[in-house]
Amino acid sequence: MPIQVLMPALSPTMEKGNLAKWLKKEGDTVKSGDVIAEIETDKATMEVEAVDEGTLGKILVPEGTADVAVNTPIATILSEGEDASAVSETAKEASKPAQQQKPVESTPPAEPKKAPSAAANSPQLQAPAEPDVPEGTEMVTMTMREALRDAMAEEMRRDPSVFVMGEEVAEYQGAYKVTQGLLQEFGSHRVVDTPITEHGFAGLGVGAALAGLKPIVEFMTFNFAMQAMDQIINSAAKTRYMSGGQIGSSIVFRGPNGAAARVAAQHSQDFSAWYSHIPGLKVIAPYTASDAKGLLKAAIRDPNPVIFLENEILYGQSFPVPKLDDFVLPIGKARIAREGKDVTIVSFSMGMTYALKAAEELAKEGIEAEVIDLRTLRPMDTDTIVASVKKTGRIVTVEEGWPQSGIGAEIAARVVEHAFDYLDAPVTRVSGRDVPMPYAANLEKLALPTVADVVEAAKAVCYR
Amino acid sequence: MAVAKNKAQQPDAARRPSDKEDDTKAKDQTASPVADLGKDQELAAYRDMLLIRRFEEKAGQMYGMGLIGGFCHLYIGQEAVVVGMQMALKEGDAVITGYRDHGHMLACGMDAKGVMAELTGRTHGYSKGKGGSMHMFSAEKGFFGGHGIVAAQVPLGTGLAFASKYRSKDNVSLTYLGDGAANQGQVYESFNMAKLWGLPAIYIIENNQYAMGTSLKRASATTDLSHRGAAHGIPGERVDGMDVRAVKAAGERAVKWCRDGNGPIILEMLTYRYRGHSMSDPAKYRTREEVEKVRSEHDPIEQVRLRLLQKKWATEDELKKIDAKVREVVNEAAEFATNDPEPDPSELYTDIYA
């Protein structure tokens, strides 16, 4: 039986990659550990090693092929006595289970599976024109990852007191490649690799900010920021108040937050509600690359500590971003991502993928949902939510975080306080389940909200 | 830099069996030299230490009268540490400490009225009454707090040093911490980064022998805290923190070390607090005799007073005049802090965001 060489995943969230190069030819002898090919994503390049000895039988995916799905057979290795002609049949069979497996492995429902031009599929295009962008502005397609990097680079060019620090931000180019190229442009003085010492470097960053610098502190993920919680809350958020306004900290803490894929309870959770609880902090959680860029630039300029919650699964997604020299968005303003009159759906960050998909499904059934992307969680744009509820009379909140004391709970309270008489149905929350994130693929899926959950909730509040 | 100590001047309370082991380790080291203070410097040190002493005594009284609330940690007994260190600093150097901070603020030149009014929670307190005893700042004087969480000031102070180096300045950051804080993990995270990046950070461990009610030997596996940077290659020095001359000399060496670009350094100040951990501490964990012995034999202010008299740099009368002047400053501060109005209710919502 020939051995299948499958397209490997470089990270838990990788779904596809490019086959950059074959280093062996058909008919070459290979032994375990030999590098046979190179694959790449927008984040990294990796070598593919042979897992067994034999002869490289057939190359099924030629070099230069883009967007090869993870688990696709890319070649076969023949044992002694086998010949390459038997290969094509087994390859076909092998690819089937791989494809079936896909929906489980791939968390983001909005990820365009087959589209080389992701922007064409981006729900962003269905949104009303961004009011912050002048009409006729050229839009360029870029990933969330690139937008974040550009925002930092632009602000670093503009202000020499801005610097980036964190684990693997410099030499390694970022654990998630968000800081790619910054070391090369700004040098190790301003792009600082730290030891694995979250409590220490978060505090050091706050100290530098008290002295007037403007640090961008990257947490490899916000899971690790819990180690630094005291410095973020007791030192960063409160010093301005405790000093009677004399000394504050202009600092950004950023990094991926929320559910990742198949990394289980300690590495997969949403801290949005935690930070949004704290006076003295601003909290931003963008969904589109455009918002990420405009808001990260605003966050870096802001004189207050800002928690900037990114999402690992969104890093590789592409969106149109306005081509402007200095695109800065206001902190604290929600965006109406889709207009509608029947029900309001409010979400942010990754939750927007469910909300927008659900709105599409609902439209097919004649329900016009208005989708609001909060973008900023603190200060929360209550006005935009309330104005929408006054129009629709119904509201569903969507988040991946836990339900108790969550963002949805806060929105529910505000709607009840400010628009109670306009409600035609109870405020309904769609959230992650009230459990630590499980590892098993099926359980993990069950722990997260789905498009169907949002559709169901929206229909329920519409009494349909 | 040498690990040095001045045995003769060390407070007896600091002598414990475990310290004897450390003594043997340090045997080959030279005794820490004391600075040769001139007349004006001795008089200034006397006045500055006395101001802290009288201020703290007054704060204690006012706490008893209910004018000061919450936690109130007095610095009485430790005055030589901040006064001696301050003599080694220059414009632009930064100071940060924990919650036993009144002495540091006065030594930095902050106004006694503003500090006392903060203790009473009034409008013209340094933090408009919103910070209290443990959280006061002065951007103007380079004093960065006043931090209530044990050891949290250590990464912050390391960040102040980072900022100095980032801006290519030769200013240093003085980070004070107690013997209790010296066991916190973030201290070692800071030591590591400070050494790794060569930051101009001076860590001053004020070893007053007790972390609240727990003596050093009951809390620390090793009790020579000047060695605490050894794992990171940070030199340390043990200093008689009851002798302002020894503190000043050590401070000057440390400051030079940092300004010359040699990275961080640790100074362990052997000192003693006469009062409880806070106002509510009856200090049952030590004997009255232990406190009395340090007071009578090693008091930092008394040492300077005796030298001034011996060298005939001041008469008893002149010293009494200084004392009277200091009392006047403190009484004015107390008066001000008692009569200053409480913050306007609208202040509740200011200074949260810029």
Side-chain angles (χ1 to χ4, degrees):
Chain A
M1 218 14 212
I3 295 151
Q4 300 279 343
V5 180
L6 303 179
M7 181 72 174
L10 300 183
S11 73
T13 49
M14 174 179 160
E15 299 184 337
K16 58 187 195 273
N18 304 334
L19 211 160
K21 198 172 178 186
W22 280 105
L23 300 168
K24 297 279 183 188
K25 308 185 298 292
E26 290 181 0
D28 282 359
T29 309
V30 294
K31 59 180 192 304
S32 182
D34 280 355
V35 177
I36 57 171
E38 274 178 16
I39 57 168
E40 64 182 17
T41 64
D42 58 339
K43 200 180 129 185
T45 302
M46 205 181 192
E47 293 170 335
V48 181
E49 291 181 1
V51 291
D52 219 323
E53 337 193 292
T55 311
L56 191 63
K58 198 159 179 65
I59 288 176
L60 302 168
V61 176
E63 69 178 30
T65 308
D67 297 334
V68 182
V70 166
N71 282 346
T72 306
I74 55 173
T76 56
I77 293 175
L78 306 173
S79 312
E80 216 165 309
E82 287 176 341
D83 91 69
S85 60
V87 163
S88 46
E89 284 308 305
T90 44
K92 270 183 212 151
E93 270 170 44
S95 68
K96 276 184 204 156
Q99 277 166 1
Q100 281 163 5
Q101 227 178 310
K102 278 241 63 197
V104 180
E105 297 252 321
S106 62
T107 318
E111 173 85 2
K113 289 290 182 295
K114 51 203 174 308
S117 157
N121 282 343
S122 170
Q124 163 82 358
L125 290 185
Q126 301 161 0
E130 170 68 66
D132 310 291
V133 178
E135 215 162 312
T137 303
E138 188 193 337
M139 302 298 271
V140 290
T141 298
M142 65 170 68
T143 61
M144 169 72 88
R145 174 178 288 125
E146 291 164 335
L148 292 166
R149 191 262 325 273
D150 287 358
M152 286 189 279
E154 286 176 21
E155 292 307 297
M156 289 175 79
R157 279 174 212 133
R158 187 177 165 269
D159 182 351
S161 65
V162 179
F163 70 98
V164 186
M165 65 187 297
E167 292 156 12
E168 310 289 9
V169 297
E171 302 273 342
Y172 195 86
Q173 305 286 302
Y176 293 95
K177 296 291 174 285
V178 176
T179 52
Q180 195 147 32
L182 295 184
L183 173 68
Q184 284 65 27
E185 180 173 352
F186 300 102
S188 60
H189 181 62
R190 298 181 66 194
V191 186
V192 183
D193 274 329
T194 66
I196 303 171
T197 182
E198 283 82 7
H199 196 181
F201 71 68
L204 189 150
V206 177
L210 297 179
L213 297 183
K214 296 174 81 68
I216 304 168
V217 175
E218 175 175 310
F219 290 116
M220 192 181 284
T221 77
F222 265 94
N223 301 291
F224 315 137
M226 272 199 287
Q227 300 240 16
M229 210 48 132
D230 175 64
Q231 291 291 356
I232 296 171
I233 293 168
N234 273 322
S235 300
K238 297 177 184 171
T239 296
R240 185 178 301 281
Y241 195 77
M242 295 194 306
S243 68
Q246 276 190 80
I247 295 178
S249 51
S250 177
I251 185 169
V252 176
F253 296 101
R254 50 153 292 271
N257 167 64
R262 303 300 307 282
V263 289
Q266 293 178 336
H267 287 75
S268 204
Q269 58 199 317
D270 179 3
F271 292 97
S272 302
W274 286 48
Y275 294 105
S276 79
H277 190 57
I278 309 297
L281 296 180
K282 293 186 178 181
V283 184
I284 297 170
Y287 160 58
T288 69
S290 170
D291 287 347
K293 186 175 182 192
L295 286 167
L296 182 53
K297 282 166 68 77
I300 294 166
R301 291 182 199 184
D302 199 278
N304 302 290
V306 180
I307 306 292
F308 199 90
L309 302 170
E310 299 158 11
N311 187 287
E312 183 190 335
I313 291 159
L314 294 175
Y315 277 151
Q317 292 199 27
S318 295
F319 298 84
V321 175
K323 195 175 175 187
L324 292 170
D325 286 343
D326 195 19
F327 175 56
V328 184
L329 287 170
I331 295 172
K333 291 289 286 178
R335 179 175 58 88
I336 296 174
R338 179 184 177 118
E339 283 179 358
K341 59 178 176 33
D342 298 326
V343 55
T344 302
I345 303 177
V346 182
S347 191
F348 56 95
S349 186
M350 187 63 194
M352 283 298 293
T353 60
Y354 310 112
L356 289 167
K357 281 266 179 189
E360 275 176 44
E361 298 290 319
L362 290 163
K364 288 178 198 156
E365 301 188 39
I367 297 172
E368 291 303 325
E370 177 144 295
V371 182
I372 296 174
D373 182 353
L374 283 176
R375 307 197 287 191
T376 302
L377 302 177
R378 184 186 187 95
M380 192 179 275
D381 185 357
T382 312
D383 291 350
T384 298
I385 301 170
V386 167
S388 180
V389 170
K390 285 183 176 174
K391 182 167 69 170
T392 64
R394 301 147 208 280
I395 179 167
V396 172
T397 66
V398 184
E399 66 190 309
E400 285 195 331
W402 292 302
Q404 179 161 340
S405 312
I407 299 295
E410 175 64 27
I411 294 168
R414 290 184 187 217
V415 168
V416 167
E417 282 162 7
H418 299 289
F420 184 75
D421 291 339
Y422 294 85
L423 284 172
D424 294 325
V427 181
T428 300
R429 290 176 290 166
V430 173
S431 69
R433 304 299 179 261
D434 202 12
V435 297
M437 185 64 73
Y439 170 71
N442 65 327
L443 296 182
E444 180 182 62
K445 225 181 149 189
L446 289 169
L448 288 166
T450 62
V451 174
D453 291 340
V454 182
V455 169
E456 192 187 332
K459 284 164 84 171
V461 297
C462 292
Y463 304 113
R464 300 242 324 235
Chain B
M1 255 196 142
V3 174
K5 50 199 304 179
N6 187 338
K7 285 183 196 174
Q9 307 261 356
Q10 204 176 322
D12 285 359
R15 298 197 171 279
R16 297 173 299 275
S18 50
D19 269 336
K20 284 188 183 131
E21 289 163 38
D22 295 327
D23 284 355
T24 55
K25 269 183 233 159
K27 230 172 207 163
D28 54 334
Q29 310 293 349
T30 53
S32 107
V34 295
D36 208 3
L37 297 189
K39 181 184 168 186
D40 291 348
Q41 287 175 316
E42 287 277 34
L43 282 167
Y46 180 73
R47 189 247 167 219
D48 292 350
M49 288 194 288
L50 203 59
L51 175 65
I52 296 171
R53 175 79 47 103
R54 298 286 174 256
F55 183 95
E56 293 292 64
E57 286 166 354
K58 181 61 82 179
Q61 281 170 24
M62 289 174 69
Y63 191 91
M65 292 158 68
L67 286 162
I68 297 172
F71 298 134
C72 187
H73 310 90
L74 301 182
Y75 198 62
I76 295 174
Q78 301 180 214
E79 297 90 344
V81 178
V82 287
V83 170
M85 284 306 299
Q86 202 64 27
M87 288 174 159
L89 298 188
K90 71 169 187 183
E91 183 78 26
D93 291 337
V95 175
I96 191 167
T97 187
Y99 47 76
R100 195 177 305 285
D101 56 353
H102 311 163
H104 303 70
M105 293 187 279
L106 295 173
C108 283
M110 287 166 69
D111 177 32
K113 283 183 189 167
V115 178
M116 198 66 97
E118 189 59 39
L119 296 183
T120 54
R122 305 303 170 98
T123 304
H124 294 95
Y126 266 98
S127 300
K128 301 185 193 169
K130 296 195 266 192
S133 165
M134 301 183 287
H135 317 106
M136 267 183 263
F137 303 78
S138 169
E140 184 203 346
K141 301 286 183 191
F143 182 71
F144 289 86
H147 294 269
I149 305 297
V150 174
Q153 76 275 19
V154 180
L156 297 173
T158 310
L160 296 172
F162 181 94
S164 175
K165 180 155 181 166
Y166 186 91
R167 291 171 167 142
S168 307
K169 290 188 176 169
D170 73 345
N171 283 116
V172 301
S173 151
L174 251 58
T175 302
Y176 290 90
L177 60 149
D179 49 289
N183 290 327
Q184 277 271 14
Q186 58 187 319
V187 171
Y188 301 92
E189 297 191 22
S190 301
F191 284 177
N192 183 46
M193 287 184 286
K195 183 65 184 180
L196 187 66
W197 298 332
L199 305 182
I202 302 174
Y203 299 103
I204 301 146
I205 304 176
E206 295 192 70
N207 178 1
N208 67 13
Q209 329 295 343
Y210 294 94
M212 200 169 152
T214 304
S215 68
L216 184 65
K217 69 178 175 195
R218 291 204 299 123
S220 290
T222 59
T223 53
D224 185 334
L225 303 178
S226 70
H227 292 164
R228 287 295 175 96
H232 304 96
I234 302 176
E237 184 174 346
R238 206 170 217 201
V239 183
D240 178 0
M242 303 302 271
D243 183 347
V244 71
R245 299 170 305 167
V247 174
K248 177 175 183 279
E252 281 168 348
R253 286 192 298 277
V255 165
K256 183 177 188 316
W257 172 266
C258 281
R259 292 209 211 283
D260 288 351
N262 295 309
I265 184 164
I266 294 168
L267 298 178
E268 180 193 8
M269 298 289 172
L270 293 170
T271 183
Y272 201 76
R273 74 170 143 74
Y274 298 174
R275 297 293 187 93
H277 162 71
S278 66
M279 289 303 296
S280 57
D281 172 19
K284 290 276 164 59
Y285 43 82
R286 60 186 186 188
T287 63
R288 196 174 282 276
E289 290 70 36
E290 178 184 306
V291 182
E292 212 32 64
K293 198 165 166 59
V294 182
R295 271 194 110 113
S296 60
E297 293 174 18
H298 298 285
D299 186 72
I301 300 173
E302 192 58 21
Q303 289 184 41
V304 181
R305 203 181 79 88
L306 289 176
R307 281 200 303 274
L308 282 167
L309 292 172
Q310 273 164 13
K311 293 185 178 171
K312 301 203 186 311
W313 282 349
T315 62
E316 289 274 10
D317 267 1
E318 283 165 335
L319 293 180
K320 272 184 189 150
K321 272 184 196 147
I322 294 175
D323 203 352
K325 198 116 188 131
V326 164
R327 278 181 200 280
E328 202 182 302
V329 170
V330 169
N331 288 336
E332 273 173 18
E335 174 100 4
F336 178 79
T338 307
N339 297 319
D340 193 39
E342 287 188 316
D344 189 89
S346 66
E347 284 293 343
L348 181 62
Y349 293 106
T350 62
D351 304 320
I352 300 167
Y353 296 99

